[in-house]
Amino acid sequence: MSDFSTASERLQAKARARQSARRERDIVTLGIALAAIILFISTAGVALPMMVRALQGTSAAPDLVLTNALLLNIALILLGWNRYKALTAELKRRCASEEEARRLADSDHLTGCLNRRSLTIALADLLAERMERERALAVIALDLDNFKQINDLNGHMAGDEVLQCTARRIAALLPEDGLLARLGGDEFLCVVPYHPQMQDRIDQLASRVIENVASPVKHEGMSLDVTISVGIASSKHLTQPTEGTASAQKLMHKADIAMYHAKKHGKNRYYWFEVSMENELRFRNELETGIRKGIANGEFKPYYEQQVDLETGKLSGFEMLARWESPELGVVGPDIFIPIAEEIGVIGELSERLIAQAFEDAKLWAHEISLSVNISPVQMRDPWFAQKLLKLLVKHNFPASRLDVEITESCLHENVGMVRSMITSLRNQGVHISLDDFGTGYSSLSQLRTLPFDRLKIDRTFISELGSEADTGKLVDAIVSMGDGLNLPITAEGVENEQVLEALKSMGKLKGQGYHYGKPEPAEKVLERLAALDLLADAAADNVTEIEFGARPTPRPGGDARVG
Ligand code: C2E
Ligand code: CA
Ligand code: CA
């Protein structure tokens, strides 16, 4: 047993001893006061008339002993009265502080809402009552979407203000018999009774909560934008109500699953719980475990997609695209596992392993063949990212000038300052930087002008429709001209056929990639392709390779090979 628990037990024992001593004293005082009253009645009955008569001069003064006994009686009664008054005052004080302690234990100190414990008990009581009263209960789980960012960027005071304001806004919309609790962090939970036939009232409530929470919160001259995701479970979903708080907890869990579903489907919205969501969540949990295990077991493999000079048809490099060769699920694409890896915080480790493998693979290719890698916005938030990447280059003895890092537009509006310094330190070492998926995000002309990119990659949604009915030719043409104006070379993604290729060729000197040249393929296939083109690294040249650090990015050496 720890020192702390023995010390606290000693303190509790002392307090108990003090209390019992006081109780004994109170009983003695009460006994004395009672005896004094009985004595008073008997002595005053004799002594008082004698005193009155003595004052009137009709009789002698009462006996001295009797008078003293009477005075002593009066003193004792006064003492008892005093003690009684002190006791009632103390009782009142104790009741008030017990009430306050209970209030504090039941509520959340920051927002004044109920807390998890008290809400669970209240919900359990309401559920038991509901059985008798034909009413349904909506349990509404609410979770702010971008609270961590607000806290990180604006400080905890701003975060507290957002939480308090959110609580006030939700409370203002709840009906009188509704309950609101903060469960911890940025999680809230409401319980609202409703008539089972009037579910639309809960829909309206959820919509209004989402709308009101989304209006900016003012704090010290700043305007903070938050949104909230909401999940709702109805007590109608409870098949077998159970004793105690088990049913309440089950319902809260279902609301949580629905809220999680709302997060997955774009946030800032609400969903009612459905059984299928539970299966989805189970699958998602399996994916999470699978990804963690897969990283440890080396199940994630770099695949490579050709990048080609459109005019000459020569192969100039490969973009590494990750694949998960899962023993249970088969080959899984990055659109499935990258968002999960980002969310569970393993994207950095996963990406490092893939890039390290890609360096080893690319060392077997001719030196003029470049390697592009994709970097997640989550990795760009790591202030050490550039250092980590440079360290990896050194460790694998891979020339910085052969590496192209692709970052998406969404990185830019998170923290442009940090992205700029990262790009600068990578470029200073000779790494090239491309802006990926251009046209799908919000990068401004001024960002394009001031951020030192080496290349723009036009998103495939603009390219694959070229030459078709929904012709996006003018738009692509405009982007190509803009690239010319900004001195930014351009790569077109998603070149799927000859028609698209011809349309692009007429627009300027571009690079391109897409299924027209082949799908992403594993390292062995790349080696076969390069061997056929006589583009494998020369073993002799390999031995004298030195890392080209410190060089400003320069156009890569020519000698591209025509794709066969
Ligand atoms: P992305 O960087 O835009 O990669 C191009 C995607 O387009 C690839 O999908 C590729 O297979 C697909 N694609 C290529 N040519 C064509 C075409 O002609 N038509 C069509 N319809 N699609 C084409 P993939 O491999 O599924 O990758 C999806 C996204 O996942 C990538 O988009 C990239 O953003 C991300 N990703 C892939 N590997 C990694 C990685 O290692 N780290 C990070 N952070 N993201 C990665
Ligand atoms: Ca890319
Ligand atoms: Ca892309």
Side-chain angles (χ1 to χ4, degrees), residues 319 321 374 406 436-437 457 493:
E319 175 175 1
L321 295 160
N374 292 282
E406 297 190 2
D436 202 2
D437 299 348
K457 296 187 74 179
E493 298 182 318

Side-chain angles (χ1 to χ4, degrees), residues 36 39-40 43-44 47 63-76:
L39 259 173
F40 179 77
T43 48
D63 175 40
L64 191 64
V65 177
L66 199 62
T67 313
N68 282 347
L70 186 65
L71 288 176
L72 192 66
N73 256 331
I74 292 171
L76 284 175

